[in-house]
Amino acid sequence: MSRATPPRADLDFSTAQTAAQLFVRCLESEGVEYVFGIPGEETLDVNEALEDSEQIDFVPVRHEAGAAFMADAWGRLTGRPGVCLATLGPGATNMATGIGDAYLDHAPMVALTGQIGLEGMHKETHQFLDVVRMLRPVTKWNTRIHDPRIVAEAVRKAFAIAATEKPGATHLELPAAVMARPVDGRPLRPTPSAVMEPDDEALERAAELLQSARRAVVLAGNGVVRQRAAGALRDFCRDTGLHVITTFMGKGVVDADDEHFLFTAGLRAQNYPQGILGRADLVVCVGYDLVEWAPEAWNPHGDIPILCIDTAPPEIDAHFVPDVELIGDLGHTLPRLGDLLADRPLPPFEVPHYRRAFDVVIHTGDDDDMPVKPQRILHDLRDALGADDVVVSDVGAHKLWVARLWDAYEPNTVLISNGFAAMGFGVPAAIAAALVAKGSRRTVAVCGDAGFLMSAVELETAHRLGLPLVVLVWTDGALGLIEMHQLRRFGRVMGTRFDSPDIVGLARSLGVDGVRIGRAGDLPEVLARALRASGPVVVEIPVDYRENEKLGIDLWQLAPGTM
């Protein structure tokens, strides 16, 4: 299935006057709608050319990491590379965190950075760092545009590589003097990507492997979301009767109310080898990125048979050695495998008690205690949102609650920074999600106070853009996730406590409405009002993280009689 942006037939591809103008025409040809960033002296020509574009809006942000997170989320939600821009030196280093997030979470992104003239790169020069070399480990490909004649090729290559499975970040460095030079040229038109297909022999071996299993289970990941293959996976599970466990980033690929959905996996503390995966005699990994959840966590001895269905060959890992690999477009592969199994019914692997045990342990949606329990917050939020609305989780203890407790009904309705797990992701990513939605669905960011304060300044960006989004800030004045680990290992905490500012006052100082929850029972009405607002709203909620211990309960022990 091609992820390439259709070429624009209405664009004028006449000769550009400068390399910067040609560069922007190339971005237009790639279908770019937004460039998130902060301009600098070394990007003056590029920003000037962007100002003249009738297609691309430049979105000034308050920190370069925010720009990269916005481009990251845009890429995840649209399937097309998001674009972010920063100047040289500190602008580029600030943006590196968001670039790393896109790289490890396989979000298509093209990062742009300015640079000094070529003549100063051989010596110590004001603000000069070798940014191309610095960003090489966190990009699929990057280069310096050292000559205006390579602009069209470099842009096309950056976008093609960023979007090709498995997608990720690419980077182009734009020296100021090169961008100002005149050049002849025109954009290279995007072309559809080739569709890969597994061969018939591999499909037959996969079908035989499934038939021989007695306790097969599906582990579905981010690749299903990227490939827009949720429908194919749902049909496959309905036809075969297989149950599905999703990764954090795979939430929603199977409806949470579907009888084939089990739960979302990915917590290190849970004793998975003694649970369903430990008892499975075949794990069917569909679109599973190893960076999402290390195979060692669920296959500690490396002895569970694996069928790998993915878009690219998997990473080499001693705990992930597939018996059969089906490499190709998931939307094509799953139906073909399902057709082979149409007259070969698979033995059922019954697990209903496990699902009930999960519900009993973590669902306490009617508890009115203060501080508010995480379960209550997400229970009320789930009641307030529709199936297609988007929840963006920052990184912290709240992320584990969103990953485990949030019932997702559609893919790409839960955005989580998981491979890189970068704090500060929530607010910028929610801004991008609101831009993508264009009012068609609501957007809520769930943040801890620590992660929120890393990017809270982007509330001004949301206010300036007039975006309807809600930011829930779970406050405990600590790094709750780190404290959970410290208490388990050492019985005490250190270096995790801080004094938060007035969250509501901070929001209002940035032009954003804010409200603080004083009673758990007020939460439904506060959420309803916030979701009706025409602009951004911050809701501060004191949270009771003593509940975190429940995240480590071995659910299998609470579900006797399953096997």
Side-chain angles (χ1 to χ4, degrees), residues 33-37 57 59-61 65-84 101 107-109 390-393 412 415 424-445 455 458-459 461-463 465-471 536:
E33 297 178 50
Y34 296 98
V35 173
F36 307 97
D57 287 329
V59 178
V61 303
F69 285 137
M70 291 176 201
D72 176 350
W74 177 272
R76 296 188 199 202
L77 289 167
T78 66
R80 307 191 309 270
V83 182
C84 51
D101 194 76
M109 170 200 285
V390 178
V391 169
V392 179
S393 176
N412 246 345
L415 295 189
F425 172 80
V427 174
I431 289 172
L435 285 172
V436 172
K438 293 181 170 62
S440 64
R441 52 185 187 171
R442 295 172 293 183
T443 302
V444 176
S455 59
E458 297 300 348
L459 289 175
T461 305
H463 169 67
L465 296 174
L467 297 174
L469 61 91
V470 177
V471 181

Side-chain angles (χ1 to χ4, degrees), residues 55-100:
Q55 173 180 315
I56 302 172
D57 287 329
F58 180 74
V59 178
V61 303
R62 304 311 303 269
H63 193 279
E64 291 89 350
F69 285 137
M70 291 176 201
D72 176 350
W74 177 272
R76 296 188 199 202
L77 289 167
T78 66
R80 307 191 309 270
V83 182
C84 51
L85 178 143
T87 190
L88 79 173
T93 56
N94 282 347
M95 205 159 67
T97 297
I99 295 172

Side-chain angles (χ1 to χ4, degrees), residues 36 41 143 146 194 203 323 333 389 481 545 559:
F36 307 97
E41 291 182 47
T143 195
H146 60 275
L203 283 162
D323 293 68
T333 302
D389 293 329
L481 180 59
Y545 274 146

Side-chain angles (χ1 to χ4, degrees), residues 265-280:
L267 299 186
R268 298 177 188 174
Q270 214 118 55
N271 202 8
Y272 287 110
Q274 276 64 56
I276 289 177
L277 287 172
R279 286 163 167 75

Side-chain angles (χ1 to χ4, degrees), residues 147-421:
D147 189 303
R149 291 172 296 181
I150 72 169
V151 164
E153 290 180 348
V155 172
R156 180 79 280 273
K157 184 172 181 178
F159 276 81
I161 292 177
T164 300
E165 282 288 333
K166 296 184 176 184
T170 59
H171 162 242
L172 295 174
E173 183 178 80
L174 315 175
V178 175
M179 289 293 102
R181 286 171 55 186
V183 64
D184 291 334
R186 58 187 294 164
L188 300 180
R189 294 183 182 275
T191 56
S193 302
V195 176
M196 292 182 60
E197 294 275 359
D199 59 43
D200 292 340
E201 181 181 349
L203 283 162
E204 182 59 39
R205 285 189 286 118
E208 292 172 357
L209 189 63
L210 276 163
Q211 278 188 291
S212 65
R214 292 295 175 265
R215 297 183 302 278
V217 65
V218 173
L219 177 60
N222 187 25
V224 181
V225 179
R226 293 194 308 265
Q227 287 273 296
R228 278 47 176 176
L233 177 63
R234 294 178 184 195
D235 290 344
F236 178 75
C237 293
R238 187 163 46 248
D239 293 342
T240 61
L242 291 171
H243 289 91
V244 179
I245 298 167
T246 71
T247 63
F248 289 0
M249 295 180 68
K251 289 180 72 68
V253 295
V254 174
D255 188 320
D257 289 338
D258 191 298
E259 61 179 343
H260 299 96
F261 174 72
L262 292 176
F263 58 89
T264 299
L267 299 186
R268 298 177 188 174
Q270 214 118 55
N271 202 8
Y272 287 110
Q274 276 64 56
I276 289 177
L277 287 172
R279 286 163 167 75
D281 60 1
L282 177 65
V283 177
V284 183
C285 294
V286 183
Y288 161 68
D289 301 328
L290 274 64
V291 71
E292 296 187 72
W293 185 33
E296 185 178 8
W298 55 269
N299 191 16
H301 306 296
D303 56 355
I304 300 178
I306 294 170
L307 167 58
C308 174
I309 305 176
D310 210 343
T311 55
E315 175 67 84
I316 301 299
D317 189 297
H319 300 273
F320 191 87
V321 181
D323 293 68
V324 178
E325 295 181 18
L326 300 181
I327 306 303
D329 188 292
L330 302 182
H332 291 205
T333 302
L334 289 169
R336 289 181 64 193
L337 181 58
D339 288 345
L340 282 178
L341 295 167
D343 299 322
R344 313 181 198 179
L346 303 181
F349 181 18
E350 299 294 343
V351 287
H353 297 297
Y354 194 99
R355 177 72 179 273
R356 285 203 297 271
F358 175 80
D359 291 341
V360 168
V361 169
I362 65 174
H363 283 269
T364 57
D366 56 354
D367 194 311
D368 284 327
D369 290 347
M370 288 291 294
V372 190
K373 287 182 170 57
Q375 301 97 310
R376 173 64 191 268
I377 301 172
L378 293 182
H379 174 274
D380 289 350
L381 181 61
R382 180 67 280 179
D383 280 351
L385 293 179
D388 291 323
D389 293 329
V390 178
V391 169
V392 179
S393 176
D394 209 297
V395 173
H398 62 281
K399 166 184 153 180
L400 305 186
W401 285 103
V402 171
R404 288 292 269 147
L405 180 57
W406 186 257
D407 285 336
Y409 305 114
E410 296 295 336
N412 246 345
T413 57
V414 182
L415 295 189
I416 295 177
S417 172
N418 197 42
F420 204 47

